C-alpha cells in the first residue's frame, strides 16, 4: 500500500471586498458568496469556492477625515505641557523613572517587550521582572456559516505585532511630552527594517492616588496625585488596530492594557434578514460575534529567581463554634506546585486572583514579598468542548486552553 504523500503547500482563503475607488472603505462591502483558495508558495489562485449570492450592502462607510462631512464641534483645545521637562531619564533604550528602571525591546513577532524591570526601594535596587511580552493572541469567531466559520486568527504568530507596528505621530497617537523609540528588525529576506517612532513613552496624570480627610480636621484634607509612565505601541492587523499600553505607577503597580480599535470584520446578510451570530450594524451588514484572547509571558525575577505561584480564593468559613454568627470569610491561599495544578478558570464567586511570591524574602511584617494578579473580565473561550467533540482526533487537548487563557490586566506589588 502506497503511503499518502504529505502536502507541502501553504493554502490561504482570503476574504473579498469591493472598493468603489482606491480610498473607499471596502470592509463595509464584503463579497460574501465567494472564497478564493491561494497557494502561497506559488502565489496562485488554485480554485474559487462559491456559496451562493448575497447582494452587496448598499451604504458606504468611509471614515477618512476628508470624506466625513459632519464633524463634532464645540470642543476647546487641551494642552499638556511640562515646562521643566519630563521626569524620566533615557540612555539609548534604558529608562529610569520614579524608582523604576527597565529596558525597552522590540521584535517582529511580539512587538513591544520590556526587560530587566527593577524598583529602587529605600536605596536598594530590587528586581521584579526579567522579561514581559505578549506571546500570542487568538481571535475565534462564532458564526458557523460556510463563509465565516474559518475565521480564527492567531495575530501574533501569523502576522507579527512588530511587523504590523505603526509609526506614531505627535498629537494624534500620543499627547504630551513624548519620547519616541524606533523599532529595528529584519524582514523575511534578512534585510534591515526600521519602523520610525514605533514606541511612544510619556507621563500621565492619573487622578487621585490616595486621599483622606480626618473628620476632626475637616479643613485639612490630605491628598496625593497619581502619576504613571506609559510605554505604548500600536499595530494594524488588517481591519483591526491593537494598542498595547504598559503602565508603571508610583506605588509599585504594573498594568498592561490592550485597546482595540479600527474596523470590525464584517459579513453580509440577505435583504430583510438578520443573523443569530452578530448584530446588524447597517442594512445587509452584520458583525460576527468573536472573542480576543491575549497570552502574556511574564518572566518573574522577584528579588531573585526563587519565585512561586499561589492561587487566592475568598471563601466563607463553615458554620460552627469558630463561626457562631455565620459572617466569617477569609482569603485562602493555595500553592501551585505544577503546571497541571495551575490550570484553572477565573472564578467570580470567590474573587479569584493569583500572586507570585518569593518565600525567601520577607516584607516589613514578616510575610513573603509578592505581586498579585488582578484579571480584567470574567471570560473563558466559548465552544471548546464542542470543538473537541467535532475534532476529537486532532485537538483532544484543546480544553486546557480554556484554563490557561486569561487576560491579566493589573499586577500589584506588596
Amino acid at each position: 500500500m502506497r503511503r499518502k504523500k504529505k502536502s507541502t503547500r501553504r493554502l490561504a482563503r482570503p476574504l473579498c471586498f469591493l472598493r468603489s475607488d482606491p480610498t473607499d472603505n471596502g470592509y463595509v462591502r464584503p463579497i460574501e458568496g465567494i472564497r478564493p483558495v491561494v497557494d502561497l508558495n506559488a502565489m496562485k489562485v488554485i480554485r474559487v469556492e462559491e456559496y451562493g449570492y448575497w447582494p452587496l450592502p448598499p451604504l458606504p462607510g468611509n471614515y477618512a477625515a476628508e470624506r466625513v462631512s459632519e464633524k463634532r464641534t464645540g470642543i476647546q483645545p487641551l494642552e499638556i505641557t511640562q515646562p521643566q521637562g519630563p521626569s524620566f531619564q533615557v540612555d539609548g533604550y534604558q529608562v529610569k523613572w520614579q524608582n523604576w528602571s527597565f529596558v525597552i525591546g522590540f521584535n517582529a513577532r511580539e512587538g513591544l517587550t520590556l526587560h530587566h524591570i527593577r524598583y529602587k526601594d529605600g536605596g536598594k535596587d530590587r528586581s521584579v521582572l526579567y522579561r514581559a511580552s505578549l506571546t500570542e493572541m487568538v481571535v475565534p469567531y462564532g458564526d458557523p456559516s460556510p463563509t465565516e466559520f474559518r475565521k480564527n486568527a492567531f495575530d501574533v504568530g501569523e502576522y507579527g505585532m512588530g511587523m504590523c507596528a505603526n509609526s506614531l505621530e505627535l498629537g494624534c497617537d500620543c499627547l504630551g511630552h513624548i519620547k519616541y523609540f524606533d523599532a529595528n528588525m529584519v524582514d523575511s529576506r534578512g534585510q534591515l527594517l526600521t519602523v520610525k517612532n514605533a514606541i511612544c513613552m510619556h507621563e500621565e496624570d492619573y487622578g487621585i492616588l490616595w486621599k483622606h480627610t480626618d473628620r476632626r480636621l475637616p479643613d485639612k484634607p490630605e491628598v496625593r496625585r497619581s502619576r504613571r509612565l506609559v510605554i505604548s505601541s500600536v499595530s494594524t492587523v488588517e481591519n483591526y488596530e491593537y494598542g498595547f499600553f504598559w503602565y508603571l505607577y508610583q506605588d509599585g503597580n504594573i498594568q498592561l492594557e490592550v485597546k482595540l480599535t479600527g474596523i470590525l470584520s464584517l459579513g453580509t446578510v440577505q435583504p430583510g434578514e438578520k443573523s443569530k451570530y452578530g448584530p446588524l450594524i447597517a442594512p445587509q451588514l452584520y458583525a460576527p460575534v468573536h472573542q480576543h484572547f491575549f497570552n502574556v509571558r511574564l518572566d518573574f525575577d522577584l528579588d531573585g529567581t526563587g519565585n512561586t505561584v499561589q492561587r487566592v480564593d475568598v471563601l466563607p468559613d463553615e458554620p460552627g463554634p469558630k463561626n457562631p454568627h455565620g459572617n466569617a470569610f477569609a482569603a485562602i491561599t493555595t500553592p501551585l506546585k505544577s503546571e497541571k495544578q495551575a490550570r484553572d478558570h477565573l472564578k467570580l464567586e470567590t474573587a479569584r486572583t493569583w500572586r507570585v511570591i518569593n518565600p525567601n524574602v520577607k516584607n516589613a511584617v514578616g510575610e513573603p514579598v509578592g505581586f498579585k494578579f488582578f484579571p480584567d473580565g470574567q471570560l473563558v473561550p466559548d465552544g471548546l468542548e464542542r470543538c473537541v467533540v467535532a475534532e476529537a482526533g486532532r485537538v483532544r487537548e484543546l480544553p486546557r486552553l480554556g484554563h490557561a487563557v486569561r487576560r491579566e490586566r493589573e499586577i500589584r506589588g506588596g
Side-chain angles (χ1 to χ4, degrees), residues 309-314 331-336 342 344-356 371-376 378 406-412:
V309 183
Q310 300 175 332
R311 186 182 67 231
V312 182
D313 293 282
V314 178
I332 306 302
T333 299
T334 303
L336 304 177
D344 223 328
H345 283 302
L346 300 167
K347 195 170 184 180
L348 179 64
E349 300 91 328
T350 64
R352 177 168 289 170
T353 56
W354 289 260
R355 65 186 179 192
V356 175
F371 270 76
K372 195 169 188 177
F373 290 83
F374 289 83
D376 178 20
Q378 301 290 331
R406 59 178 182 264
R407 180 176 58 182
E408 306 296 2
R409 180 175 185 271
E410 191 166 356
I411 311 169
R412 297 182 184 175

Side-chain angles (χ1 to χ4, degrees), residues 173-190:
D173 300 296
C174 307
L175 191 63
H177 192 117
I178 306 300
K179 168 62 180 177
Y180 289 109
F181 299 87
D182 296 341
N184 298 302
M185 302 172 286
V186 293
D187 63 19
S188 60
R189 292 174 173 80

Side-chain angles (χ1 to χ4, degrees), residues 145-200:
S145 65
T147 57
E148 297 290 336
F149 82 97
R150 291 184 183 276
K151 287 184 180 179
N152 186 74
F154 287 87
D155 284 344
V156 173
E158 294 177 338
Y159 288 89
M161 288 299 111
M163 299 302 290
C164 297
N166 292 186
S167 291
L168 305 177
E169 296 184 14
L170 183 62
C172 298
D173 300 296
C174 307
L175 191 63
H177 192 117
I178 306 300
K179 168 62 180 177
Y180 289 109
F181 299 87
D182 296 341
N184 298 302
M185 302 172 286
V186 293
D187 63 19
S188 60
R189 292 174 173 80
Q191 301 298 313
L192 177 64
L193 173 64
T194 297
V195 179
K196 299 291 292 183
N197 298 352
I199 304 164
C200 166

Side-chain angles (χ1 to χ4, degrees), residues 29-71:
R29 287 201 172 99
I31 303 173
E32 192 69 25
I34 62 172
R35 291 291 183 265
V37 179
V38 179
D39 185 329
L40 296 179
N41 292 335
M43 291 305 292
K44 292 182 178 179
V45 176
I46 60 175
R47 69 176 181 270
V48 176
E49 300 175 350
E50 298 185 21
Y51 296 95
Y53 171 74
W54 284 259
L56 290 170
L59 298 182
N62 291 302
Y63 51 83
E66 64 270 15
R67 302 185 73 154
V68 177
S69 57
E70 296 183 9
K71 298 182 176 63

Side-chain angles (χ1 to χ4, degrees), residues 107 109-110 112-115 117 128-137 156 246 254 256 294-301 356 373 404 406-408 411:
N107 65 70
R109 177 190 172 95
E110 301 167 303
L112 175 61
T113 60
L114 299 182
H115 306 258
I117 303 175
V128 177
L129 282 162
Y130 176 73
R131 192 179 192 274
S133 68
L134 174 76
T135 56
E136 188 53 276
M137 60 172 294
V156 173
W246 288 93
I254 305 172
L256 169 62
F294 301 89
N295 189 71
V296 177
R297 173 188 173 185
L298 298 174
D299 190 349
F300 270 91
D301 188 17
V356 175
F373 290 83
R406 59 178 182 264
R407 180 176 58 182
E408 306 296 2
I411 311 169

Side-chain angles (χ1 to χ4, degrees), residues 64-133:
E66 64 270 15
R67 302 185 73 154
V68 177
S69 57
E70 296 183 9
K71 298 182 176 63
R72 184 184 294 270
T73 60
I75 189 167
Q76 301 301 322
L78 174 64
E79 296 183 359
I80 300 174
T81 62
Q82 291 181 277
Q84 299 179 25
S87 303
F88 52 75
Q89 299 85 45
V90 177
D91 181 7
Y93 285 77
Q94 301 180 58
V95 179
K96 292 183 178 181
W97 177 81
Q98 289 290 290
N99 295 328
W100 289 103
S101 63
F102 59 96
V103 178
I104 292 176
F106 203 93
N107 65 70
R109 177 190 172 95
E110 301 167 303
L112 175 61
T113 60
L114 299 182
H115 306 258
H116 303 293
I117 303 175
R118 308 177 72 85
Y119 191 86
K120 184 168 289 187
D121 181 16
K124 182 180 180 182
D125 190 32
R126 304 176 64 181
S127 60
V128 177
L129 282 162
Y130 176 73
R131 192 179 192 274
S133 68

